[in-house]
Amino acid sequence: FGGVPVTVINRAGPTSTVEIGTTSFDIVRDTVLGGVTLIGIAPDGTVLLVLDEVRDTPQGIQVDRKVRRYSPTGELLGEQIVDAGEQFVEMSRTLEMTAVGTVAYFVTLEDQVEVRILEL
């Protein structure tokens, strides 16, 4: 995603510090952080990330994939959960930033691909 390095400090605690290039801010959550992927930096400077949050439940390990939008200063502006289980065919990249800074979510169905614009 644009070749910008993303570094995550303290994945297990309730707060992780994310460094993207020369910018850093904290991500607060109530789960273990399994991974962080940069979708892109929007034209308005907001940062779009995918977080994989891992929790142990009585039914087993659960992973929630969340798309989050942060201000350039690290304020959480919006969040939406995407269901990776919806995919009929596995795709390597199901989330893309559009030219105007929205996030397109590609969902493969049995006979078509839907493009959903996330509301963040």
Side-chain angles (χ1 to χ4, degrees):
F1 294 107
V4 178
V6 176
T7 304
V8 180
I9 301 165
N10 187 26
R11 289 177 188 265
T15 301
S16 297
T17 300
V18 174
E19 297 174 346
I20 302 168
T22 60
T23 302
S24 69
F25 53 87
D26 291 334
I27 293 177
V28 179
R29 72 214 176 282
D30 60 357
T31 60
V32 173
L33 186 59
V36 175
T37 304
L38 176 67
I39 298 173
I41 299 173
D44 64 359
T46 57
V47 178
L48 298 162
L49 297 175
V50 178
L51 278 61
D52 291 320
E53 296 183 358
V54 181
R55 70 179 80 235
D56 193 7
T57 69
Q59 295 77 28
I61 300 295
Q62 177 183 334
V63 178
D64 290 329
R65 176 160 282 182
K66 296 180 179 179
V67 177
R68 287 187 173 183
R69 180 182 297 272
Y70 288 92
S71 73
T73 59
E75 177 187 354
L76 178 61
L77 301 174
E79 173 182 87
Q80 188 168 345
I81 295 176
V82 293
D83 184 1
E86 299 188 275
Q87 301 295 340
F88 183 77
V89 176
E90 186 65 32
M91 292 177 56
S92 60
R93 291 175 59 167
T94 57
L95 296 159
E96 293 288 338
M97 185 179 72
T98 68
V100 296
T102 58
V103 176
Y105 175 41
F106 300 92
V107 179
T108 60
L109 305 173
E110 186 173 354
D111 59 347
Q112 64 184 351
V113 175
E114 287 184 2
V115 179
R116 301 176 185 169
I117 302 299
L118 301 184
E119 298 293 328
L120 299 171

